[in-house]
RNA sequence: GGGCAGUUAGCUCAGUUGGUAGAGCGCCACGCUUACACCGUGGAUGUCACAGGUUCGAGUCCUGUACUGCCCACCA
């Protein structure tokens, strides 16, 4: 194994000094790379491949943190774990990035270069940049198997794409059709419905009148938000039942500006109550109009070029940009008296998610996936629970979308991407699909060699949908595929359930006959401090590498994991990251304290050796018991995907219980001079800390590994240490220690309240008989932690007369007198006791009321009622003792 | 138009089988106790958005309302 050179422990934790070294240590020892082993259970998370074109943002950091936390947890549980990394070629944005670069440097377009040359350039760019984000993933500590890293344009995934395309094509599930599609004039390609955003805008609703042919002075007034499209109008539609227009059905209108005759048609799709009740029909440029046109056999006139300028069908407007044309059309209509009115109108406009410009609906021939045969099984998988969502509510989001799904347009008019593996025959005109890398040599129908390939490429999400199995070698029957498919958990953000998750399920079932993962864990979005979505344009992004540099990788990860709940957006604040950094430093110093004083031959204390024995000192029994509780809780929470809550529990345990109480208490025995006691204590210190570090490792991999290496241990590394199993608790010890804690807190509190200057105060403790032994045995804890003057401390269960010049502190197990001779202000003490009595009385009243309710006593579970009775008795005793004391102060 | 979340201490948020509200930060007061000032000790602050209901008991379940955010949807 590769050695991990460890320096002396510094006074504060320095992430920079450890992170890179440990990552290398883990990776070089092969712990990220699972070996196929039939006797072990595989656990697989295929990482969502980030786009090559962008650096990682904190959202990625969060997801990678979640993925790696589950991965590390299962690895420690003994599973054969694979976290598979990859990169996506990012279709449109990949192409755009390179286009811009070439334009900037050479003032050339991709058309100037030609397909082959442009592709060559893209590949050059990709080869240079596709490994850049690897370093970021490493910096975040992801324990992924780099030997299996995949790029969506690698030969494997390329083959997978061609293969599934051919399968679907041959079965008629991929087809070509002319339909109205979303054309993005910015990217000059078709995009799918999911890539269209509806953006609210203030626009206008223009009312235009169309003269009725042959009826001088009669018009139909239509309303439109896009007057320029009238150039392509081939009809006007009204509702069949609309009395206003009934006599006009079938009549002809004269289209203004174009002087074309267009018919009035009656169609159910028109809303009578909206606008004027009459709709201009532009089948070439509007989805609804397209349908109406189909129903009434209206001609389709395309008036736009690919860049959304008006084409030769636009009369005098030919060559104008669509927005220029709009102005001009409105102006002309107004001048010619056709414009009735212009109303301001707030509406939604479809924008291209890719280029951030309004899309243009166009009628075009494109490739489609006939989706129902794929979506129905994917739907079924969610219905019957073969695919579960965390949180559960997203199941409905998923199913509702699939229930209403439309065919998927998969062709893109781009160069960069998976090219459609279909060849056209110039001889017979038929199509040949092929999965071969080189394509077919002849038309499969007429054997002609005169064939050429479709120029388009596929939607990026087409290849992404194959990711869970294309990464493992499909369609080849590889060992990886047989062993690691299906995966376990798919972790991603909820905004790509449709774009990605649904398609993986569809393709997974189609190609493999089995769902690609049993659980979909959905992270929320990470927002900035104000709760706004982070984006480069707003400039409010947090660079994970900067956060890592400032606070450390563990701090960033711990913050992201503990400040969020699955599926809920989280705000990232620097103070939270500082908290987490402080936590890392806290456990660093706790370990430093423990490790510093250990004997050289100190044996390892594995968690399974943490067994409570009756002869152990109380603090040992207490902390071990608390530790076992923690193990059980944390394990349960992680199994239920509640990483945040699990992380918080570990934080509280280590900071509050282990550091503040156990370590402080342990100092007594460490300094006692008794070597046997010292060693016994050290064993518990080491054992509990080591076990807790195991629990914390998935959350803070770097510090925990580093600290673990500094403690006595068996095994090579924490990353491959065994996940602890909970042992037996000792509830009696927990109760006793709590009694001690209560006493200590009371004294500390009293000292502050009475403004005692001296560090140590005298005390007399009158215990209940059953607590006498406890207080006597743990005398040193009281002295040290509460700050009691050792020489004066008297512990008895038989105190004939209470000291007069003393504060009296009443706990459940004892009354503690602090004889502050001369310092005690009687008036103040009476007031204090009065307040305490009042508080205790309130408790008594509350409990009494509950217990007086027969319904509560009869119907509530026995333990709940019992607990309430105990509370009542304790409170009553408290009131009584406080009153007695108050009486003596008169 | 349909759907889904959120609304808890000054701030950021936890609170998953309904048992009577927590953490961190911030604030106030102390404190260099030989691991840690990236620290320790103590303290203050909440009709858990609002209105009903179910229940012995509701921050937690049901109904409705308000505000905020998100998703889906072919009203020109």
């Amino acid at each position: 194994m590769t050695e991990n050179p460890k320096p002396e422990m510094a006074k504060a934790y320095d992430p920079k000094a450890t992170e890179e070294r440990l990552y290398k240590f883990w990776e070089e020892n092969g712990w990220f790379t699972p070996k196929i082993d039939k006797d072990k259970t595989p656990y697989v998370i295929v990482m969502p491949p980030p786009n090559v074109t962008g650096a990682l943002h904190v959202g990625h950091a969060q997801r990678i943190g979640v993925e790696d936390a589950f991965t590390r947890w299962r690895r420690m549980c003994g599973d054969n774990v694979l976290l598979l990394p990859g990169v996506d070629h990012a279709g449109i944005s990949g192409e755009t990035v390179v286009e811009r670069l070439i334009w900037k440097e050479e003032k050339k377009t991709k058309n100037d270069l030609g397909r082959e040359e442009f592709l060559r350039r893209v590949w050059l760019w990709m080869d240079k940049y596709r490994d850049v984000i690897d370093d970021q993933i490493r910096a975040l500590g992801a324990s992924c198997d780099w030997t299996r890293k995949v790029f969506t344009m690698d030969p494997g995934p390329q083959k997978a794409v061609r293969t599934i395309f051919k399968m679907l094509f041959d079965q008629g599930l991929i087809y070509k059709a002319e339909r109205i599609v979303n054309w993005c004039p910015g990217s000059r390609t078709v995009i799918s419905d999911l890539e269209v955003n509806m953006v609210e805008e203030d626009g206008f609703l223009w009312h235009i009148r169309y003269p009725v042919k042959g009826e001088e002075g009669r018009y139909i007034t239509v309303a439109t938000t896009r007057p320029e499209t009238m150039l392509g109008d081939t009809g006007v539609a009204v509702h069949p039942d609309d009395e206003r227009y009934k006599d006009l059905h079938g009549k002809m209108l004269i289209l203004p500006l174009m002087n074309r005759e267009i018919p009035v048609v009656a169609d159910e799709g028109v809303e009578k109550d909206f606008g004027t009740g009459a709709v201009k029909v532009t089948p070439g440029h509007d989805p609804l109009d397209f349908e109406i046109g189909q129903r009434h056999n209206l001609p389709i006139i395309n008036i736009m070029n690919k860049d959304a300028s008006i084409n030769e069908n636009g009369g005098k407007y030919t060559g104008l940009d669509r927005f220029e044309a709009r102005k001009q059309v409105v102006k002309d209509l107004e001048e010619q008296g056709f414009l009735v009115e212009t109303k301001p109108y707030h509406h939604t406009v479809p924008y291209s998610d890719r280029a951030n410009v309004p899309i243009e609906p166009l009628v075009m021939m494109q490739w489609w996936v006939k989706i129902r045969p794929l979506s129905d099984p994917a739907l079924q998988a969610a219905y019957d629970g073969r695919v579960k969502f965390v949180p559960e509510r997203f199941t409905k989001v998923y199913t509702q979308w699939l229930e209403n799904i439309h065919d998927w347009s998969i062709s893109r008019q781009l160069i960069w991407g998976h090219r459609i593996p279909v060849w056209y025959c110039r001889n017979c005109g038929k199509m040949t699909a092929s999965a071969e890398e080189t394509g077919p040599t002849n038309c499969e129908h007429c054997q002609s060699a005169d064939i050429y390939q479709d120029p388009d490429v596929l939607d990026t999400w087409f290849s992404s949908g194959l990711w869970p199995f294309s990464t493992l070698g499909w369609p080849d029957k590889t060992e990886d595929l047989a062993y690691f498919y299906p995966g376990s958990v798919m972790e991603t953000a909820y905004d790509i359930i449709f774009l990605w998750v649904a398609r993986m399920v569809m393709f997974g079932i189609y190609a493999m006959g089995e769902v690609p993962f049993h659980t979909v864990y959905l992270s929320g979005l990470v927002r900035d401090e104000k709760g706004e979505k982070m984006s480069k344009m707003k400039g409010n992004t947090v660079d994970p590498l900067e956060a890592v540099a400032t606070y450390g990788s563990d701090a960033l990860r711990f913050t992201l994991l503990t400040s969020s709940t699955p599926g809920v957006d989280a705000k990232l604040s620097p103070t939270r990251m500082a908290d987490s950094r402080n936590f890392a430093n806290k456990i660093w110093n706790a370990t430093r304290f423990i490790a510093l004083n250990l004997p050289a031959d100190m044996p390892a204390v594995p968690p399974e050796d943490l067994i409570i024995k009756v002869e152990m000192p109380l603090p040992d029994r207490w902390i071990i018991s608390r530790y076992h509780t923690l193990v059980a809780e944390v394990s349960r929470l992680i199994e239920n995907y509640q990483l945040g809550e699990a992380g918080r529990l570990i934080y509280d345990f280590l900071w509050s219980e282990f550091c503040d109480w156990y370590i402080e208490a342990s100092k007594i025995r460490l300094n006692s001079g008794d070597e046997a006691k010292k060693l016994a204590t050290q064993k518990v210190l080491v054992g509990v800390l080591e076990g807790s570090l195991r629990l914390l490792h998935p959350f803070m991999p770097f510090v925990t590994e580093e600290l673990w290496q500094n403690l006595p241990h068996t095994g090579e590394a924490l990353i491959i240490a065994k996940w602890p199993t909970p042992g037996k608790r000792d509830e009696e010890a927990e109760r006793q220690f709590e009694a001690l804690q209560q006493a200590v807190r009371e004294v500390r509190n009293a000292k502050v309240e009475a403004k005692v200057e001296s560090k140590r105060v005298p005390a007399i403790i009158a215990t209940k008989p059953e607590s006498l032994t406890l207080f006597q045995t743990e005398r040193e804890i009281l002295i040290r932690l509460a700050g009691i003057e050792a020489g004066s401390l008297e512990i008895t269960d038989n105190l004939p007369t209470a000291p007069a010049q003393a504060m009296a502190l009443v706990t459940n197990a004892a009354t503690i007198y602090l004889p502050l001779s001369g310092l005690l202000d009687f008036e103040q003490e009476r007031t204090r006791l009065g307040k305490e009595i009042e508080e205790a009385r309130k408790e008594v009243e509350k409990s009494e009321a509950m217990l007086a309710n027969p319904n509560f006593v009869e119907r509530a579970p026995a333990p709940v009622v019992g607990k309430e009775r105990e509370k009542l008795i304790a409170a009553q005793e408290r009131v009584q003792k406080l009153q007695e004391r108050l009486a003596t102060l008169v």
Side-chain angles (χ1 to χ4, degrees), chain A residues 28 70 302:
Chain A
E28 288 180 358
F70 284 127
N302 178 8

Side-chain angles (χ1 to χ4, degrees), chain A residues 155 302 321 431 717 745:
Chain A
N302 178 8
D321 171 76
M431 295 185 282
R745 287 199 181 102

Side-chain angles (χ1 to χ4, degrees), chain A residues 743-744 746-747 750-751 760-768 772 775-776 779 782-783 786-811 813-821 829 832 881 885:
Chain A
V744 168
E746 284 287 339
V747 176
K751 282 164 71 179
R760 308 219 167 264
V761 290
I764 298 162
I765 302 179
T767 71
K768 285 186 185 173
L772 181 65
F775 277 76
Q776 282 178 334
R779 184 187 167 88
L782 296 164
I783 292 169
I788 290 172
E789 209 175 80
S792 77
L793 178 58
E794 197 181 314
I795 299 172
T796 174
D797 63 344
N798 182 16
L799 190 69
T801 46
Q805 288 275 340
M807 275 181 96
L809 315 168
V810 177
T811 77
T815 301
I816 303 162
Y817 297 96
L818 304 183
L820 307 167
S821 48
E829 177 67 358
R832 188 182 69 84
K881 285 191 179 158
R885 179 63 187 173

Side-chain angles (χ1 to χ4, degrees), chain A residues 43-45 62-77 79 81-83 143 390 488-491 519-523 557 561 566 634-635 637-644 646 697-699 723:
Chain A
Y43 182 87
V44 183
I45 295 182
Q62 186 197 33
R63 276 164 239 164
I64 289 167
V66 170
E67 291 152 22
D68 190 51
F70 284 127
T71 298
R72 286 178 186 268
W73 166 61
R74 288 318 304 174
R75 186 183 291 119
M76 292 175 80
C77 287
D79 286 353
V81 171
L82 172 62
L83 179 60
S143 57
V390 178
S488 309
V489 174
M490 181 68 232
E491 191 283 335
T519 299
V520 180
Y521 177 101
L522 294 159
S523 295
R557 181 198 288 223
L561 290 182
V634 168
S635 302
L637 286 164
I638 299 184
E639 273 160 34
N640 290 314
Y641 302 97
Q642 301 294 322
L643 289 174
H697 185 252
F699 300 86
W723 186 258

Side-chain angles (χ1 to χ4, degrees), chain A residues 712-741:
Chain A
H713 59 264
T714 48
E716 291 165 297
L718 179 57
I719 188 176
I720 49 164
K722 201 169 148 284
W723 186 258
T725 46
K728 245 185 110 182
R729 292 175 56 187
D730 183 342
E731 286 172 35
E732 178 57 24
E734 291 192 30
R735 264 195 298 277
Q736 289 189 349
F737 198 83
E738 274 162 29
L740 243 37
Q741 287 178 305

